[in-house]
Amino acid sequence: LVETIGCSGMTHSAAMAGEILPGKTILEALNTDLVCDAINVAMRELFLQIVYGRSQTAFSENGLPVGAGLDDLGKGLRSMTGTIFSTKAKGVRYLELTEGYILKTALDKDNQVIGYQFVRLGKMMEDIRHGKDPKEAYEKNIGTYGRFSPEQGAVKYIDPREE
């Protein structure tokens, strides 16, 4: 059974996968259309790794060098695991995704999450390391994703750690 799926750089699709895949067998998971080609390809590659016992380097041109990480893929990113919780009673709660630490989620009239506000922790820490005032670095690195404004349909905002 699929217990978890991890993906870096495609956390929105990974969030969808986190909602759809738990409890499915590997075959059911592979047969699930997750809309995002990157996640579908990732599922195929995970399947190949499980079946054939290969590592990620088997699918990279010339393999990945020892010690390769997010620093090779994008400045200001950090290694992290997306954290998303979901219950029938409260719905989905995004806590942290690749963009950063989730500050608020925007809900629509049906109480569905339609967007979120986040702080880019990697970029914020870079700014602080380079002498920027922490409060200024924090404020500079706040962003939003999805339909976050009232004009875009947000009727309520919640702190996912409080509600």
Side-chain angles (χ1 to χ4, degrees), residues 40-101:
N40 289 327
V41 168
M43 288 293 296
R44 183 190 71 217
E45 299 307 316
L46 287 170
F47 175 75
L48 292 172
Q49 289 176 30
I50 291 166
V51 171
Y52 297 108
R54 295 192 232 172
S55 69
Q56 180 179 353
T57 57
F59 306 106
S60 302
E61 187 174 329
N62 299 323
L64 291 173
V66 173
L70 284 176
D71 55 315
D72 300 313
L73 302 174
K75 188 171 172 59
L77 295 179
R78 60 195 189 93
S79 178
M80 54 84 56
T81 301
T83 306
I84 302 156
F85 289 97
S86 183
T87 65
K88 280 192 179 259
K90 291 187 175 185
V92 69
R93 295 295 186 260
Y94 303 139
L95 301 177
E96 190 155 359
L97 300 171
T98 297
E99 291 91 353
Y101 180 93

Side-chain angles (χ1 to χ4, degrees), residues 8 11 20 24 36 45 69 73 77 79 91 101 113 118 132 141:
S8 90
T11 54
I20 295 171
K24 292 198 181 324
C36 173
E45 299 307 316
L73 302 174
L77 295 179
S79 178
Y101 180 93
V113 174
F118 58 90
K132 192 170 287 253
N141 286 291

